[in-house]
């Protein structure tokens, strides 16, 4: 039986963007509903993206750490595991995150509706539940936070048992000895680290001329070297002509004429906004070819009462940024305009093994802009804390202005890079004289710590000035 109810605001999607919006709106006193098409809250971030991939990476990096530590691997004993085995760790983390996030909605009396949303006009939508019944809801305002999904080209048979995308790979049941990963973006590189760390022969096909070209070249080169050194095969500047599923594997035919065979393939080349099922034509909205919507500074679409946040509006397509966008859109709806904006220098965290993180400008960008910068470096192998932990692969690089000594960019490669970066980011965000490389020389760090890399890098950079 269909029922109808009116809300002040309805949020579609319970990922980070939807959660940020729903919490902001309910705390402002609005009567809010949030619609989730899956059986539990959290969105792609919790169930298929950020959380499971990082949980898998953590398990693999601990196995590698154990096997490389002479204290543990006496008598030639070593730990071994398979992808399907370590999936259990990821699932336990997902369950904890889901329970935590469910509690937010319960405590804040935000109505949770499970089903697939579809607009019928600018103030009304239908929600089709799993049993096929349809309920109708109306609202004054809507926030579209439906996220994104892996891009699936029509000429690739994703129904084949050996052809996966970054969502379906989490259902991998057989244990491949050899995997091809097509697409060497962030997701492709992270999964390449996981499979290679488990001892799976890994071939990484990169459609561009270098890995993660948006990174500082030195960081990109470091990752390429460590992948190569681990036994991974990287093929740059290659695209597929045909991906052929066989009875027990896959054959990739490349446009260059090469052929590659493996037990399975992970296709990780791009993502698409989840807007196709929303019937947006009924409200006068047209997504672009990647399923994304245009918004203004208040996250408002061309339709006054419909807003959008997160992956469906494109850059930066990060969970952390989506949550902030959700908070800002709640301000826009309740106060007339968003008080907050995303910071200019959003940090990048890439959870490869070893991980990479950066904030601010790269050397290439500063050179092109003719900014007179200098470089300060610290190698992890010289830090006592890294030596103690046996984590001596990696480095920290600080880029700063030769004259003002203002910090312009920070780039880190190695264990805990995504944590270490925030120390430098905090100083970069200060204004005026507070943002100089001299801060790291004049402050006192705990010893031994990885944070000490900042002091070492700052001294190294200042010693280059003349």
């Amino acid at each position: 039986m269909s029922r109808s109810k009116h809300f002040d605001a309805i949020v579609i999607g319970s990922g980070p963007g939807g959660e940020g919006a729903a919490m902001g709106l309910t705390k402002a006193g609005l009567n809010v509903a949030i619609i989730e098409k899956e059986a539990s809250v959290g969105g792609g971030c919790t169930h298929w993206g950020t959380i499971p991939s990082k949980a898998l990476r953590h398990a693999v990096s601990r196995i590698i750490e154990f096997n490389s530590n002479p204290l543990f691997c006496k008598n030639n004993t070593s730990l071994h595991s398979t992808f399907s085995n370590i999936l259990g760790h990821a699932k336990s983390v997902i369950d904890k995150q889901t329970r935590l996030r469910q509690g937010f909605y319960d405590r804040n009396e935000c109505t949770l509706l499970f089903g697939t949303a579809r607009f019928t006009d600018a103030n009304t939508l239908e929600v089709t539940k799993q049993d096929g019944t349809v309920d109708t809801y109306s609202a004054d305002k809507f926030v579209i936070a439906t996220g994104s999904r892996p891009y699936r080209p029509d000429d690739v048979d994703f129904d084949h048992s050996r052809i996966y995308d970054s969502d379906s790979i989490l259902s991998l049941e057989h244990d491949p000895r050899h995997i091809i990963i097509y697409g060497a973006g962030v997701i492709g590189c992270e999964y390449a680290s996981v499979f290679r760390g488990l001892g799976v022969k890994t071939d990484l096909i990169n459609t561009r001329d270098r890995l993660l070209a948006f990174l500082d070249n030195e960081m990109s080169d470091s990752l390429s070297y460590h992948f190569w050194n681990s036994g991974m095969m990287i093929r740059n500047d290659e695209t597929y002509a045909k991906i052929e599923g066989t009875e027990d594997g896959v054959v990739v035919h490349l446009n260059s004429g090469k052929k590659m065979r493996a037990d399975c393939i992970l296709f990780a080349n791009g993502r698409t906004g989840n807007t196709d099922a929303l019937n947006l034509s009924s409200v006068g909205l047209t997504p672009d070819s990647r399923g994304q919507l245009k918004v203004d500074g208040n996250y408002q679409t061309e339709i006054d009462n419909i807003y959008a946040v997160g992956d469906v509006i494109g850059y930066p397509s990060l969970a952390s940024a989506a949550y902030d966008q959700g908070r800002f859109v709640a301000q826009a709806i309740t106060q007339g305009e968003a008080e907050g904006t995303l910071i200019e220098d959003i940090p990048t965290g890439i959870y490869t093994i070893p991980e990479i993180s950066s904030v601010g400008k790269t050397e290439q960008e500063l050179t092109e802009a003719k900014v007179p910068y200098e470089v300060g470096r610290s190698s992890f192998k010289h830090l006592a804390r890294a030596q103690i932990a046996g984590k001596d692969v990696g480095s920290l690089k600080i880029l700063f202005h030769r004259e003002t000594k203002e910090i312009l960019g920070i780039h880190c490669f190695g264990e805990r890079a995504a944590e270490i970066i925030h120390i430098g980011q905090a100083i970069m965000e200060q204004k005026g004289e507070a943002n100089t490389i001299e801060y790291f020389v004049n402050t006192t760090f705990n010893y031994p710590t990885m944070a000490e890399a900042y002091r070492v890098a700052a001294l190294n950079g200042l010693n280059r000035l003349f």
Side-chain angles (χ1 to χ4, degrees), residues 266-340:
L266 166 58
F267 191 96
N269 197 40
R271 295 184 69 81
T272 303
N274 290 325
T275 49
D276 50 321
L278 290 171
N279 191 30
L280 292 177
S281 59
S282 68
V283 299
L285 280 177
T286 306
D288 66 16
S289 60
R290 296 176 64 188
Q292 295 172 351
L293 293 167
K294 282 194 186 118
V295 294
D296 63 14
N298 288 315
Y299 299 95
Q300 191 174 36
T301 68
E302 296 154 18
I303 309 303
D304 289 351
N305 69 318
I306 299 178
Y307 299 76
V309 295
D311 280 13
V312 287
I313 65 169
Y315 178 84
S317 295
L318 297 169
S320 52
Y323 192 88
D324 288 338
Q325 290 169 344
R327 288 173 41 240
F328 301 151
V329 82
Q331 294 167 0
I333 289 171
T334 57
Q335 301 168 27
E337 66 176 328
E339 288 180 358

Side-chain angles (χ1 to χ4, degrees), residues 439-455:
Y439 170 86
F440 299 119
V441 177
N442 296 330
T443 196
T444 304
F445 288 91
N446 280 333
Y447 179 83
T449 57
M450 295 303 292
E452 192 198 357
Y454 280 97
R455 183 179 64 82

Side-chain angles (χ1 to χ4, degrees), residues 218-238:
E218 203 171 331
M219 299 295 111
S220 172
D221 290 344
S222 295
L223 183 65
S224 295
Y225 170 78
H226 282 278
F227 276 2
W228 171 80
N229 203 38
S230 73
M232 195 184 301
M233 166 70 80
I234 305 171
R235 292 195 185 276
N236 292 323
D237 271 329
E238 296 277 12

Side-chain angles (χ1 to χ4, degrees), residues 23-100:
M23 293 301 100
L25 292 166
T26 54
K27 288 178 188 298
L30 272 64
N31 182 20
V32 180
I34 189 161
I35 300 170
E36 173 52 55
K37 70 180 174 67
E38 300 299 332
S40 55
V41 299
C45 168
T46 300
H47 294 279
W48 302 281
T50 305
I51 297 301
S53 63
K54 278 50 172 180
L56 289 167
R57 179 215 180 265
H58 178 82
V60 172
S61 61
R62 294 293 78 85
I63 291 169
I64 294 170
E65 183 180 1
F66 179 92
N67 289 337
S68 61
N69 192 320
L71 277 174
F72 302 138
C73 52
K74 292 176 181 173
N75 304 320
N76 293 322
T77 59
S78 62
L79 274 180
H80 295 281
S81 192
T82 61
F83 189 83
S84 51
N85 283 343
I86 63 171
L87 276 171
H89 170 57
K91 289 190 169 76
S92 71
V93 178
I94 291 168
D95 290 344
K96 288 175 185 173
Q97 283 287 309
T98 299
R99 285 196 298 273
L100 175 76

Side-chain angles (χ1 to χ4, degrees), residues 414-432:
E415 183 71 8
R416 307 284 174 184
E419 301 282 357
I420 294 166
I421 203 75
H422 291 128
I423 300 164
Q425 181 198 18
I427 305 307
M428 268 186 75
E429 285 294 307
Q430 305 308 308
K431 303 302 175 202

